[in-house]
Amino acid sequence: MDIKNLLTFIHVAELNSFTKAAEKLGYSQSTVSFQIKQLETELNSQLFERINHTIALTEKGREVLNYAHQINKLTQELEENMQKEGTVRGHVRLAMADSLCDSLLSENFLTFREKYPGITLKMIAAGTEEMFRLLNHNEADAILTLDNHIYNTEYVIVREEKVGVHFVTNADCPLAGLSTISISELIQIPFVLTEKGMSYRRLMDEKLAEMSLEIQPVLEVGSTDRICSLVEQGVGVSFLPDYVTTQKVREGKLVYLKVENFEINVWKQLLYHRDKWVSPQMESVLQYCVDREFQ
């Protein structure tokens, strides 16, 4: 049995499309169709029901998919274990919240590269829902989330910690001297925020919606460093995790605002799918994430 046929079968099953699988694998659609037909002939079973332009796994197809995942996992394990002793090489795909990218790509990344020159890393900035889609379709090896606390037996939690989040403004803002402020008063001030729907911004919006309130920011931008700089210049107020703002608060450039009855729980979590084979290169990247993101 050709392993390539099993891998093609996994892609068709997960993408629910011969065309999308062909695009993903870089094959022609006829090649994908031939590989699936060859696999069905070898197993003497129909793996997909084909009705008009739609496909769906048969009962036997779902059974074969489970075995295909196990075979793929064992194949990866065999390949990694056959690497020369002392060498770690390979490609790792890490999906993560955009605001965590900067800290992972600090000066310590050069040390990581010097230690593991054979590892290539692809970092994918995405929202939490998209991260889990990538993880479930094996398009990401691990994810680093900044969201509600997530627990599901489908996933292994490598490390997690609760993250503080605050409304911040510059030291010269009149709000900075107030002991407390109501959220209804605060949202009248111009806001600079990360993109709508992204991690802690989404949690803030959901909390506001429960109170029948909404913020219309004057600017939305993905870079938390840029947001900090703009707020420091006096553009307005933002809502950011503490690991982004702590240093500037210590320097007196930014100030945390105390907002009445407005608390949001945000968690940083490093996870991978329980069926994922943790290769030496993936283990090295996971450890690097732990060292950089969880102190």
Side-chain angles (χ1 to χ4, degrees):
M1 184 179 296
D2 193 334
I3 296 296
K4 288 183 179 179
N5 290 352
L6 282 176
L7 290 176
T8 297
F9 169 65
I10 290 173
H11 278 81
V12 173
E14 291 184 341
L15 296 172
N16 204 36
S17 168
F18 281 69
T19 302
K20 291 179 181 179
E23 292 173 354
K24 183 72 177 178
L25 294 166
Y27 298 157
S28 66
Q29 187 170 339
S30 60
T31 297
V32 169
S33 298
F34 175 77
Q35 289 178 325
I36 297 302
K37 188 63 178 177
Q38 192 175 48
L39 186 60
E40 288 179 325
T41 300
E42 287 181 308
L43 297 174
N44 194 30
S45 298
Q46 183 175 337
L47 303 178
F48 293 100
E49 289 181 327
R50 302 166 177 82
I51 302 175
N52 293 326
H53 297 294
T54 64
I55 63 169
L57 282 169
T58 62
E59 188 65 35
K60 184 62 69 175
R62 285 189 287 272
E63 187 177 333
V64 172
L65 181 61
N66 183 47
Y67 282 111
H69 278 301
Q70 293 180 53
I71 292 170
N72 184 39
K73 181 179 178 181
L74 289 171
T75 301
Q76 291 178 338
E77 183 175 346
L78 175 62
E79 290 174 350
E80 299 301 338
N81 284 338
M82 290 301 102
Q83 288 185 358
K84 292 181 181 179
E85 186 176 356
T87 65
V88 179
R89 58 170 53 89
H91 188 60
V92 179
R93 303 157 301 175
L94 178 65
M96 61 194 303
D98 188 46
S99 61
L100 295 173
C101 292
D102 288 342
S103 57
L104 277 184
L105 295 178
S106 66
E107 65 275 6
N108 294 75
F109 185 68
L110 180 59
T111 303
F112 176 81
R113 285 287 303 132
E114 291 171 346
K115 185 176 181 180
Y116 300 108
I119 294 179
T120 58
L121 178 62
K122 179 179 182 180
M123 296 171 63
I124 309 164
T128 305
E129 184 176 345
E130 174 64 6
M131 287 189 221
F132 279 97
R133 188 196 69 76
L134 293 169
L135 201 62
N136 292 333
H137 287 83
N138 198 29
E139 295 176 31
D141 301 303
I143 62 175
L144 185 56
T145 68
L146 198 62
D147 211 306
N148 284 316
H149 187 269
I150 297 161
Y151 177 75
N152 187 316
T153 56
E154 289 291 309
Y155 311 107
V156 176
I157 300 174
V158 179
R159 192 67 63 88
E160 64 181 10
E161 70 177 17
K162 194 173 182 180
V163 176
V165 286
H166 282 89
F167 291 99
V168 294
T169 189
N170 77 334
D172 296 327
C173 177
L175 299 179
L178 299 179
S179 56
T180 59
I181 184 173
S182 70
I183 188 63
S184 57
E185 292 175 304
L186 180 62
I187 63 173
Q188 305 305 316
I189 306 298
F191 265 80
V192 181
L193 297 171
T194 54
E195 298 100 321
K196 193 175 183 65
M198 297 296 284
S199 57
Y200 50 89
R201 162 75 192 276
R202 192 194 77 253
L203 298 179
M204 180 198 70
D205 285 340
E206 290 174 354
K207 179 74 171 179
L208 287 170
E210 292 174 5
M211 305 166 73
S212 300
L213 297 173
E214 183 180 7
I215 291 175
Q216 294 292 341
V218 296
L219 177 66
E220 294 176 291
V221 60
S223 170
T224 53
D225 283 346
R226 177 62 63 188
I227 292 174
C228 280
S229 177
L230 290 169
V231 173
E232 185 182 337
Q233 294 171 41
V235 173
V237 175
S238 191
F239 183 72
L240 294 167
D242 292 354
Y243 65 83
V244 174
T245 57
T246 297
Q247 185 59 39
K248 288 187 178 292
V249 170
R250 286 174 181 165
E251 294 170 355
K253 297 175 180 177
L254 294 179
V255 176
Y256 290 145
L257 298 174
K258 296 178 181 179
V259 182
E260 298 172 352
N261 304 316
F262 199 91
E263 183 178 349
I264 292 177
N265 293 319
V266 178
W267 285 79
K268 185 190 299 181
Q269 292 181 287
L270 180 63
L271 311 95
Y272 63 87
H273 199 281
R274 68 178 184 184
D275 293 330
K276 184 69 181 178
W277 155 239
V278 181
S279 63
Q281 64 264 27
M282 180 174 162
E283 185 174 6
S284 299
V285 170
L286 291 175
Q287 187 58 53
Y288 174 68
C289 290
V290 169
D291 293 342
R292 289 297 307 145
E293 295 292 342
F294 300 88
Q295 304 298 329

